[in-house]
Amino acid sequence: MKYLIVCLSALSLIGCANIQKKDMSAFNAAAPRSILVVPVVNKTLDVDAPVYVLTTLPIPLANKGYYVFPVNTTKYILEQEGLYEGDRILTIPVPTLAKMFGADAILYVTIKRWDAQYAFIATTVTVEFDYKMVSADGTVIWEENKKMAYSPQNSGGGGLGGLIAAAISAAITRAAPNYMPLAQSAHQQVFLMGPNQLPDGPYNIPAK
């Protein structure tokens, strides 16, 4: 059994975990060509988080070489069927959902963390996602979890001036946290870069 240590700590980006290399045989057997990304499940208090996260998912999947159904069109069609929330979509049988769009696989994403926590003169912005991909027959073919955290660094030097600058920076981050770079980085790592990244899809164009 292989284990990889992944630690990201470049002053501002924090994320360290023991990651187990997973068996990809189910994914390879399914060999999906098209992926349906459904509206995400939100376990946080931020009602806007699902919309933001949904918009960040298609690009890394497409870059990996898969056809991704347009998420806005998918969301609209599901809403016409009365499926407005990610939790409600989970109740629909996978074969039924896959047949509705003609998809080879469906990606379900759950937002577990989407918050900014203030402590003294620092604010830490954190996101955490559960990812699960299933084939059209309902078989789970890939799963992953990713947690990312960001804490702005003070560049105002030491002393009282530095403390004031750090407090101001923390207050600004707390008032208007920027989650999108963290979400995009999380997706990049699980889909494109991590030890359990997706295999290249049929439409992947090798770099020359």
Side-chain angles (χ1 to χ4, degrees), residues 4-207:
L4 299 180
I5 305 297
V6 176
C7 294
L8 297 175
S9 181
L11 295 181
S12 60
L13 197 59
I14 306 167
C16 184
N18 292 325
I19 300 179
Q20 180 180 349
K21 182 67 176 178
K22 297 178 182 178
D23 181 5
M24 299 296 288
S25 59
F27 188 98
N28 293 328
R33 302 175 65 86
S34 62
I35 298 174
L36 178 70
V37 180
V38 296
V40 304
V41 175
N42 185 22
K43 298 297 184 181
T44 77
L45 298 178
D46 192 323
V47 296
D48 295 322
V51 176
Y52 291 140
V53 173
L54 189 63
T55 63
T56 61
L57 289 166
I59 291 179
L61 291 170
N63 287 342
K64 197 63 178 175
Y66 297 94
Y67 173 76
V68 183
F69 292 85
V71 292
N72 287 332
T73 302
T74 298
K75 186 172 182 292
Y76 175 79
I77 292 174
L78 291 173
E79 287 176 350
Q80 299 310 299
E81 298 296 323
L83 303 172
Y84 292 91
E85 304 293 337
D87 289 299
R88 177 73 177 88
I89 294 170
L90 289 177
T91 66
I92 306 303
V94 171
T96 300
L97 199 55
K99 185 177 181 181
M100 184 186 302
F101 292 88
D104 297 325
I106 301 174
L107 176 67
Y108 298 93
V109 176
T110 298
I111 308 173
K112 298 182 68 177
R113 291 280 303 275
W114 188 272
D115 55 66
Q117 296 186 339
Y118 179 78
F120 186 44
I121 56 172
T123 296
T124 300
V125 180
T126 305
V127 301
E128 183 178 2
F129 308 108
D130 280 339
Y131 306 81
K132 182 173 72 172
M133 192 176 298
V134 299
S135 62
D137 64 1
T139 302
V140 177
I141 59 176
W142 179 83
E143 290 184 283
E144 192 59 277
N145 168 272
K146 192 64 181 179
K147 180 180 179 180
M148 304 288 291
Y150 169 76
S151 183
Q153 300 300 297
N154 172 36
S155 58
L160 179 59
L163 289 175
I164 294 174
I168 293 174
S169 175
I172 292 173
T173 301
R174 186 185 185 191
N178 189 357
Y179 297 102
M180 296 301 280
L182 280 181
Q184 292 167 339
S185 181
H187 303 335
Q188 288 282 334
Q189 290 192 38
V190 298
F191 294 136
L192 304 176
M193 301 164 53
N196 297 305
Q197 63 180 276
L198 297 180
D200 288 342
Y203 308 110
N204 179 267
I205 301 177

